[in-house]
Amino acid sequence: MDLFAGRSILLVAMDPCNQLFLYCRAGFEQECLTECAALAKAAGLPGAGSATMQSGHVLFQPDAPGMAAQLAQRLSVREMTFARHLLAVENHDQPLTPGNRIEQLLKRFTPMAVAHKSFSSLWLGAPDSDIGKALAPLCRSLQGRLESAMQQRGWLAPDPNPKQARAEIVFLTGTTALVGISWPNNSSPWPMGIPRLRLPAGSPSRAALKLEEALIFMFTPEERKKLLAPGKTVVDLGAAPGGWSFIMLRDGLTVTAVDRANLAAEVAASPRLRHLREDGFRYRPSRPVDWLLCDMVEQPRRIADLVSLWAAEGWCRSVLFNLKLPMKKRHEELQLCRERMVAPLQKVGIRYQLRLRQLYHDREEVTGLLRLPDNPTRKQRL
Ligand code: SAM
C-alpha cells in the first residue's frame, strides 16, 4: 500500500492561494476592508486584512488556512459596494528580476495550473493608484508573451466556461507582483473592475457615463432590454444638464426632468421630455412611473428617505440613485442610509432588492439600485 498516495492527492488539491486581493477606488481602502471583513464573517470564513491609504487595493486573509479561493467564490463581487473586483492570490514577496519576469511568473503559476488543470483566460492589472497607473505599459507588454507561454504549456483552455478559474497577475511595482485566480462567474465584467466606456456622442455631461456603467453592471442585456424598453416612463430628479435624461431618451423612454437649472438645448428639445423647474423633494408624479432617477447633490440620508418614500408609496417600480458620501464615517453613513431606505418598506411588507455600488465613474459617491418586484401590497396612492 502506498502510504503517501493520499497525502500527495491532498497536496495537489490544496489551493496555493491564501489571501484575497480586492481592487477598489484609491482613498476607499478602509471602507472596502470593513465591508470585506463583515461579508467574510457572514460567509463563515472570518479573517483580517490590511488597507494602505491611496493604494487602490486591500489584502484580506481568512483565518482558516488554504480557504482564500473558497472565500473568493463565496463573496459575491456584484453585491459588494466598494470592491471593484476580487481574486484569490498567493502570498509572495520575492522580487521579480527584470528580464526574467515571464519565467518567474510562470513558475509561480505552476501549482495553480496543477490544481485547476487550465485557466479560462489571463488578466494582468495594477491598482488604480498613482503607482499602479504607471504600470499599465508593463502589463500591456507582458500580456501577449505570457498568454503565448501559457498556451504552449496547455494552461489556457481552448473553449473556456464561466466556472473555470481565470489566471490573474497584479503588479504592485515593476518588480513585485501577486499571482492568483478569479472566477468569471463571480467577477467584474472588466479587468481591474475598470470599464473602458466612451462618453456617448451628444451627451451634455460626463454623468451619462455613470448611468451607462450602472446599466451595464447592474443588469444582464436581457433585463436591460425588458426594463428599459421604449415607452417606459422616467422621472429624473436633479436632471440638469441632462446626461441621465439623454441616455433614457436615446433608449426610447419618456422623461419628466425635474431641476431648477437649465437642461442642455438638445435634451430640452426632445418631444419625449418635459422639464419642470421644481424642487425634487416636493415634486410628486401624477401617476406611477417605471423609473425614478435621482442625482441631486444633497445629504445622503435625505436622498435615502426620498427614495424610500417613492418606493413605499408605489410611485415607481425601480429607482437608480446616487448618494454623495461625506468625508468621514462613510461606511457608517451608508449603513444608516441603507437602514432608512429599507425599514419603511419592511414595515409594510414591500419586497425589494437593493444594491449599492461605488462605480468606476463614481467619485466620493455610490450608485444605488432599488428594485421593487411586483408587490400586491403597494398602495399607488395618487
Ligand atoms: N444627472 C445629471 C446629469 O446627468 O447631467 C447631473 C446632476 S447634478 C450632479 C445635480 C443636479 O441636482 C443639479 O443640476 C442641481 O440643480 C440639482 N438639484 C440639487 N438640488 C435639487 C433639488 N432640491 N431639486 C431639484 N434639483 C436639484
Side-chain angles (χ1 to χ4, degrees), residues 83-103:
R84 285 182 182 166
H85 177 53
L86 68 83
L87 52 146
V89 293
E90 36 110 87
N91 187 358
H92 197 292
D93 50 13
Q94 286 284 307
L96 299 165
T97 323
N100 194 26
R101 289 188 186 101
I102 292 188
E103 277 311 310

Side-chain angles (χ1 to χ4, degrees), residues 204-205 207-208 210 236-245 258-261 278-281 295-298 324:
S205 74
K210 236 173 6 184
D236 184 1
L237 302 179
W244 288 22
S245 289
V258 182
D259 201 311
R260 290 209 179 91
E278 292 182 27
D279 180 345
F281 288 95
D295 193 20
M296 294 187 285
V297 181
E298 249 299 342
K324 321 289 172 193

Side-chain angles (χ1 to χ4, degrees), residues 69-95:
Q70 274 281 336
L71 181 57
Q73 291 171 90
R74 280 191 208 173
L75 300 183
S76 166
V77 72
R78 286 181 169 268
E79 300 299 326
M80 295 174 87
T81 301
F82 293 102
R84 285 182 182 166
H85 177 53
L86 68 83
L87 52 146
V89 293
E90 36 110 87
N91 187 358
H92 197 292
D93 50 13
Q94 286 284 307

Side-chain angles (χ1 to χ4, degrees), residues 2 81 119 135 171 267 287 352 381:
D2 181 0
T81 301
F119 303 115
L135 296 167
F171 279 93
V267 173
R287 64 177 66 116
Y352 62 88
R381 274 200 264 114

Side-chain angles (χ1 to χ4, degrees), residues 358-378:
Q358 188 174 42
L359 302 169
Y360 173 68
H361 290 96
D362 281 329
R363 293 170 185 264
E364 310 284 311
E365 53 195 343
V366 301
T367 296
L369 169 67
L370 180 68
R371 286 176 73 175
L372 306 153
D374 288 331
N375 274 293
T377 53
R378 284 169 65 210

